Amino acid sequence: MSTAGRLAGKVALITGGAGNIGALISRRYLDEGAAVVITGRNAEKLRAHAERLVQEAGVPAERVMAVRMDGSRMDEVRAGIAEVAARFGRIDVLVNNAGSAGARQRLAAVPLSRDELQGDTETLLDGMGNLFGISWNLMRAAAPHMPPGGSVINISTIFSRTDYYGRIPYVVPKAALNALSLAAARALRRAGVRVNTIYPGPIEGERIRTVFRRMDELKGL
């Protein structure tokens, strides 16, 4: 396809780029002419999605880059951003989409250590790293490589602003991300970089139905 589009010539980095939402974002950015970098922890999943993007979008392979990194680890983020900068020279758009579910427990039962997990996969600290730390780390590392006119888009959730019972480990880091977005917008405006937050609502699918069933269980409904 042609590289003509609203993002022609731009470089966009999407964290969690092989996930459900990230896959749609990365495809849309390719359709608008951008070169796309997808990141995540699963190297095999990233490679497979990068190949699928090239085939489905009909773009040259050099317009898609997959970088494995654990966004909650600053050393891996710095190394990953260095790879992107070495290949493209800059990052025009950063989409902080990666995250996790967080523990699904009432406040008193939120797991603080691995031995307190009750069917969950994340402790409170794990959730903070995945839901807040990734965006923090990526912004810190990417900002020096973002030219004037650059854009940071942080994916929050409507549930950071409304009731989401039994999901404190999810909504609190997301609320912190909302505050970080405002602070970063003020800090980066001198460099000509915009920071905005998106608040998605529930996305139809079995995952959200499972979430709501668990909320009802915790409420005793």
Side-chain angles (χ1 to χ4, degrees):
M1 64 172 278
S2 168
T3 56
R6 291 180 294 172
L7 297 176
K10 303 294 185 181
V11 179
L13 189 157
I14 298 111
T15 67
N20 292 334
I21 296 178
L24 294 173
I25 295 172
S26 55
R27 173 59 193 270
R28 182 61 176 155
Y29 273 48
L30 279 174
D31 289 345
E32 288 293 341
V36 166
V37 181
I38 57 174
T39 73
R41 292 171 176 155
N42 188 321
E44 183 177 343
K45 184 178 180 180
L46 284 170
R47 282 195 298 271
H49 183 58
E51 292 172 1
R52 187 159 53 248
L53 282 173
V54 169
Q55 294 170 359
E56 292 178 356
V59 300
E62 57 266 24
R63 276 184 55 198
V64 181
M65 181 181 186
V67 179
R68 199 221 73 84
M69 68 169 76
D70 180 344
S72 67
R73 292 179 56 88
M74 194 62 203
D75 57 338
E76 294 191 19
V77 171
R78 286 198 179 100
I81 292 296
E83 284 185 50
V84 177
R87 176 163 169 178
F88 293 110
R90 70 188 192 285
I91 298 169
D92 297 291
V93 183
L94 168 63
V95 183
N96 279 314
N97 164 71
S100 63
R104 301 173 185 179
Q105 301 289 345
R106 297 185 184 91
L107 177 60
V110 171
L112 302 180
S113 61
R114 307 301 297 179
D115 59 358
E116 292 179 344
L117 293 174
Q118 302 178 50
D120 294 299
T121 59
E122 297 176 286
T123 66
L124 180 62
L125 186 59
D126 293 333
M128 285 296 296
N130 293 330
L131 292 158
F132 176 73
I134 291 175
S135 298
W136 175 283
N137 289 341
L138 263 293
M139 279 195 286
R140 286 173 64 196
H145 303 283
M146 301 191 75
S151 174
V152 176
I153 302 168
N154 291 326
I155 309 296
S156 182
T157 172
I158 193 65
F159 293 115
S160 65
R161 306 170 74 172
T162 187
D163 180 48
Y164 208 30
Y165 188 80
R167 299 302 300 280
I168 286 177
Y170 178 75
V171 299
V172 170
K174 286 293 192 179
L177 177 61
N178 301 345
L180 175 61
S181 294
L182 290 173
R186 298 186 184 103
L188 294 178
R189 65 184 175 186
R190 289 176 178 266
V193 175
R194 293 169 289 116
V195 181
N196 288 283
T197 310
I198 294 178
Y199 299 88
I203 298 173
E204 175 61 28
E206 182 55 31
R207 179 178 179 276
I208 196 64
R209 287 190 286 271
T210 299
V211 167
F212 286 146
R213 280 197 295 268
R214 178 58 176 160
M215 288 173 64
D216 288 345
E217 291 172 5
L218 292 172
K219 288 180 177 179
L221 299 178

